[in-house]
Amino acid sequence: NGYEWELWRLDGYGVDTSDLPVMITEFGWRHSAGDEESADYAEVYPSPGQAAAYLDMALRGNADGRYPDAPRDGWIPLLADPRVVAVAYFALDGVPWEWSHTNLLQVDADGAVIGTHAHYDLLAGYFNQ
């Protein structure tokens, strides 16, 4: 909920933020899947499945405890905050040698989609309910 600080700063400048819509851009997590040259990413970044869990918790929370190893509270789920009108996930399918560790889609060197990552599947599931 980093936008809370930004709204607080705007309030400090005299901006009325009570009806100001919040749009979150370039939202997401790097993940460990990617090109073969970056095998060390597996030690630094979460797996695509973990990134999907982080995304799900950020959007819907964890009050029901579906992620038992994660906290149940401490943040406002983005979908529960009426001020949040948009969340733009980064990135859909950037060139693999630069963005493979943030992409939702798995793409080959020519840009053809060859699969999806777990966080894409999670987002797609939101729309198929």
Side-chain angles (χ1 to χ4, degrees):
N1 297 118
Y3 60 90
E4 292 281 359
W5 182 86
E6 294 172 2
L7 292 172
W8 174 79
R9 286 300 293 155
L10 287 171
D11 281 335
Y13 294 130
V15 176
D16 179 11
T17 62
S18 59
D19 291 327
L20 192 66
V22 174
M23 296 176 210
I24 300 170
T25 61
E26 297 193 17
F27 179 78
W29 285 265
R30 283 183 165 242
H31 54 77
S32 59
D35 60 46
E36 294 177 10
E37 295 176 10
S38 301
D40 58 333
Y41 275 37
E43 297 176 16
V44 180
Y45 296 112
S47 70
Q50 290 168 312
Y54 297 160
L55 172 62
D56 188 39
M57 285 188 285
L59 292 173
R60 297 186 327 161
N62 191 35
D64 61 1
R66 67 189 174 287
Y67 300 103
D69 294 335
R72 289 178 166 237
D73 58 16
W75 70 97
I76 299 170
L78 297 174
L79 296 178
D81 190 335
R83 298 171 301 176
V84 176
V85 298
V87 179
Y89 199 88
F90 181 83
L92 181 61
D93 63 350
V95 293
W97 56 89
E98 292 181 11
W99 301 109
S100 62
H101 299 290
T102 58
N103 285 347
L104 290 166
L105 301 178
Q106 299 170 3
V107 294
D108 67 15
D110 295 324
V113 176
I114 57 175
T116 61
H117 288 296
H119 43 304
Y120 174 89
D121 301 335
L122 173 86
L123 288 172
Y126 283 0
F127 297 104
N128 293 326
Q129 294 180 2

